[in-house]
């Protein structure tokens, strides 16, 4: 029994290589659930692609990629005083506050760092007014470059903001030759590279690299049991009554896998808002549409998912699947943990 991710390896790797071609000096990002594929598998793919640096989300994630990737390891979450930095010459820490940079500069050795600058994201970063303080402290560390974490491309053009920071760094007398950026399009990257030929611009990419080709992978769940039921029969933890005659289908995949978890989405228009409100009303009344499909249609949860399985209700008009069959599952890759990943 398993929730399985099936990957068309030839198609998927073809997409990965096309992204690497569009973004020279690519820095793949592996974090969270490993985008559903798992950290070790993506680290191995980064090795196959021949990139120099791999980025992870936290120091705790280093152990999952260290053996599979031989190059430099960039930790994206900025360091804080409570972090334990491993004594590893391959590890590069991100610094987003002058106080943390001062601690590293005054400490033993010359740790490798990337200094993150404050952008329109307004999440982490050293503001422009503190660049002079940064310059004074760089002698105590080995600065691998500066970083700009930018909004998604859909939010607008990033060229002006990147150019503005390059000018501030140059005017501030900062010595650097590498800039890490995120969410920059290939066209913007080409324009920036041409305008600043002496600057090595490296794109950090996660979702667009691993997940953009949705046809290259698919999630499937095994059918574990099928039970005929009549209207009014009780079932499950809460002993709810079945709404009508049909079947209860028990399938692999539950809350431990991330089934029925949902990342908040941006509601951009009235139609989307109406759809969200309608779904919320159904859930409040005890009905929730599952990510599992039977006979080409998504089916209702019979009750909230269990830890490792989910129970679906099929009306009697739908022919139930056989035990052992695999059902398509529409999951969010960034919040799903699979039992198996199969490279077909």
């Amino acid at each position: 029994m398993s929730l399985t991710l099936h990957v068309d390896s030839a198609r998927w790797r073809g997409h990965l290589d096309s992204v690497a071609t569009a973004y020279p000096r690519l820095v793949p990002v592996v974090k969270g659930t490993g985008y559903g594929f798992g950290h070790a598998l993506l680290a191995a793919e980064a090795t196959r692609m021949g990139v120099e640096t791999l980025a992870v989300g936290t120091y705790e994630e280093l152990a999952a990629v260290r053996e599979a990737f031989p190059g430099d390891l960039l930790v994206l979450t900025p360091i804080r005083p409570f972090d334990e930095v491993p004594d590893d010459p391959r590890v590069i820490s991100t610094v987003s506050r002058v106080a943390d940079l001062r601690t590293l500069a005054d400490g033993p050795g010359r740790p490798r760092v990337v200094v993150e600058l404050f952008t329109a994201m307004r999440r982490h970063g050293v503001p422009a007014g503190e660049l002079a303080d940064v310059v004074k402290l760089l002698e105590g560390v080995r600065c691998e470059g500066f970083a700009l974490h930018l909004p998604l491309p859909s939010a607008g053009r990033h060229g002006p903001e990147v150019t503005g920071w390059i000018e501030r760094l140059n005017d501030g007398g900062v010595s650097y030759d590498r800039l890490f950026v995120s969410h920059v399009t290939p066209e913007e990257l080409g324009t920036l590279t041409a305008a600043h030929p002496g600057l090595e611009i490296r794109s950090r990419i996660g979702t667009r690299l691993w997940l953009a080709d949705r046809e290259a992978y698919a999630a499937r769940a095994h059918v574990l049991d099928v039970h005929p039921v009549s209207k009014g029969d009780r079932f499950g933890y809460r002993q709810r009554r079945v709404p009508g005659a049909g079947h209860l289908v028990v399938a692999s995949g539950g809350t431990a896998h991330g089934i029925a978890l949902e990342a908040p989405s941006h509601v951009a228009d009235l139609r989307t808002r109406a759809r969200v409100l309608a779904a919320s009303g159904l859930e409040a009344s005890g009905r929730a549409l599952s990510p599992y499909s039977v006979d080409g249609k998504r089916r209702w949860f019979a009750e909230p998912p269990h830890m490792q399985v989910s129970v679906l209700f099929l009306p009697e008009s739908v022919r139930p699947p056989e035990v052992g069959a695999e059902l398509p599952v529409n999951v969010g890759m960034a919040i799903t943990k699979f039992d198996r990943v199969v490279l077909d």
Side-chain angles (χ1 to χ4, degrees), residues 104-166:
L104 292 177
D106 292 343
R110 296 185 69 233
R112 303 174 72 186
V113 304
V114 165
V115 179
E116 183 169 338
L117 303 170
F118 196 66
T119 70
M121 277 287 292
R122 298 185 181 275
R123 191 169 75 172
H124 305 298
V126 175
E130 297 179 9
L131 269 182
D133 296 322
V134 169
V135 174
K136 297 174 183 177
L137 296 169
L138 289 183
E139 290 187 2
V141 297
R142 180 179 167 188
C143 183
E144 301 290 341
F146 290 81
L148 297 172
H149 188 197
L150 302 159
L152 294 173
S154 59
R157 295 171 57 244
H158 297 324
E161 184 167 12
V162 176
T163 298
W165 267 112
I166 292 174

Side-chain angles (χ1 to χ4, degrees), residues 23 52 65 98 112-113 151 174 181 226-227 233 235 244 247 264 276-277 299 301 323:
Y23 290 92
E52 298 176 22
V65 302
V98 171
R112 303 174 72 186
V113 304
V174 182
V181 296
V226 179
H227 305 296
D233 285 350
F235 72 97
H247 291 85
V276 170
L277 289 173
R299 301 298 170 176
F301 281 122
V323 170

Side-chain angles (χ1 to χ4, degrees), residues 102-337:
R102 181 175 291 108
T103 298
L104 292 177
D106 292 343
R110 296 185 69 233
R112 303 174 72 186
V113 304
V114 165
V115 179
E116 183 169 338
L117 303 170
F118 196 66
T119 70
M121 277 287 292
R122 298 185 181 275
R123 191 169 75 172
H124 305 298
V126 175
E130 297 179 9
L131 269 182
D133 296 322
V134 169
V135 174
K136 297 174 183 177
L137 296 169
L138 289 183
E139 290 187 2
V141 297
R142 180 179 167 188
C143 183
E144 301 290 341
F146 290 81
L148 297 172
H149 188 197
L150 302 159
L152 294 173
S154 59
R157 295 171 57 244
H158 297 324
E161 184 167 12
V162 176
T163 298
W165 267 112
I166 292 174
E167 292 174 350
R168 292 187 194 99
L169 291 169
N170 294 340
D171 293 343
V174 182
S175 177
Y176 73 107
D177 55 14
R178 187 175 297 125
L179 183 67
F180 295 85
V181 296
S182 61
H183 303 140
V184 169
T185 66
E187 294 74 22
E188 288 176 321
L189 179 61
T191 299
L192 289 167
T193 300
H196 307 280
L199 181 62
E200 179 184 298
I201 303 178
R202 295 190 177 189
S203 293
R204 306 178 304 193
I205 305 179
T207 301
R208 182 169 185 169
L209 175 63
W210 308 117
L211 300 179
D213 187 354
R214 292 287 301 178
E215 300 301 317
Y217 52 90
R220 299 176 198 157
H222 280 114
V223 174
L224 306 177
D225 272 300
V226 179
H227 305 296
V229 289
S230 299
K231 183 176 181 179
D233 285 350
R234 292 186 179 276
F235 72 97
Y237 282 126
R238 298 163 183 81
Q239 287 294 281
R240 292 179 174 176
R241 292 187 182 276
V242 174
H247 291 85
L248 295 178
V249 177
V250 183
S252 57
T255 56
H257 301 88
I259 295 296
L261 299 182
E262 185 176 1
S265 58
H266 174 64
V267 180
D269 51 47
L270 291 177
R271 177 178 297 179
T272 303
R273 183 174 298 171
R275 187 163 58 246
V276 170
L277 289 173
S280 299
L282 287 170
E283 291 177 9
S285 65
R287 299 184 66 192
L289 193 62
S290 83
Y292 298 84
S293 292
V294 177
D295 196 23
K297 183 178 179 180
R298 287 178 62 182
R299 301 298 170 176
W300 298 97
F301 281 122
E303 69 173 349
H306 303 177
M307 184 170 289
Q308 293 180 312
V309 301
S310 292
V311 183
L312 317 175
F313 173 71
L314 293 184
E316 60 181 346
S317 59
V318 179
R319 181 178 179 179
E322 299 288 336
V323 170
E326 284 192 310
L327 305 180
V329 192
N330 181 23
V331 297
M333 294 288 285
I335 56 175
T336 304
K337 181 180 179 180

